[in-house]
Amino acid sequence: MKPCLLAFGLVLAYPAYAWEPQTGDIIFQISQSSQSKAIQLATHSDYSHTGMIVIREKKPYVFEAVGPVIYTPLQKWIRHGKDGKYIVRRVDGGLSTQQKQKLAQTAKRYLGKPYDLAFSWSDERQYCSEVVWKVYDKALGMKLGKLQKLKDFDLSNPAVQAKLKERYGKNVPLNETVISPQAVFDAPELETVEKKWPLFSW
């Protein structure tokens, strides 16, 4: 193969990113799931889904709870989000090699866990921001984001109320502990290292 063609092939195989993905980076997007809009409205957030970057065999994957907890290739994950938009946040000052290893090792405990449609605070099932929060907490003792109760969110919008009725009927667990993508994003320990996102206002 000619050198120029070989180089072109490598570019296609390993797409360049505007930032250097690192294990522990937390990435946010608008998912295209049926619950996405309700999550945005209830949490007053521009995004509705999050995951944690894990480098595996020198390639970036997103460790995420979507269906079961899985590793999704980063490019595939970006394509799944609305308009390919995303924001990446990282622990301020970066993580040590040992900390990254602990995160990657702890994440394996949650692989294959089913998705938690009820957003309960148990380890049996996981939702996106929950599994990211718990991996950081168990691996490094970092609590990225303030835990809230379901009743703390804005549940007034009809779309939110419809989703609550669909999931819980008349027995909405208002006192259930919850961590939202927005709360993780707002963690003071994090800084933005990449942003491919339109401007929103609420």
Side-chain angles (χ1 to χ4, degrees), residues 99-150:
Q99 286 176 315
K100 293 175 185 178
Q101 291 172 344
K102 285 184 177 180
L103 286 172
Q105 191 64 33
T106 302
K108 293 178 182 179
R109 302 182 195 174
Y110 293 92
L111 278 177
K113 294 281 187 179
Y115 190 79
D116 189 358
L117 289 170
F119 299 114
S120 62
W121 197 249
S122 80
D123 282 348
E124 297 306 310
R125 295 175 175 271
Q126 298 293 307
Y127 56 89
C128 68
S129 43
E130 176 189 14
V131 76
V132 170
W133 194 95
K134 287 183 174 179
V135 167
Y136 257 91
D137 182 39
K138 293 182 186 302
L140 306 180
M142 290 187 185
K143 303 181 187 302
L144 295 184
K146 181 182 177 181
L147 297 179
Q148 297 172 276
K149 300 296 184 181
L150 186 59

Side-chain angles (χ1 to χ4, degrees), residues 1 6-7 13 16 21 25 30 40 88 94 119 123 141 147 163 186:
M1 181 181 290
L6 175 61
D25 287 351
I30 302 173
Q40 289 179 280
V88 183
F119 299 114
D123 282 348
L147 297 179
K163 186 59 63 175
D186 288 338

Side-chain angles (χ1 to χ4, degrees), residues 36-54:
S36 179
K37 191 62 178 179
I39 291 172
Q40 289 179 280
L41 290 167
T43 62
H44 291 189
S45 177
D46 290 342
Y47 28 79
S48 59
H49 185 53
T50 187
M52 184 184 78
I53 301 291
V54 176

Side-chain angles (χ1 to χ4, degrees), residues 160-179:
V160 177
Q161 293 180 0
K163 186 59 63 175
L164 290 173
K165 183 177 181 180
E166 173 189 313
R167 296 284 168 83
Y168 307 111
K170 295 181 179 179
N171 300 310
V172 180
L174 294 175
N175 288 312
E176 184 67 56
T177 298
V178 181
I179 184 73

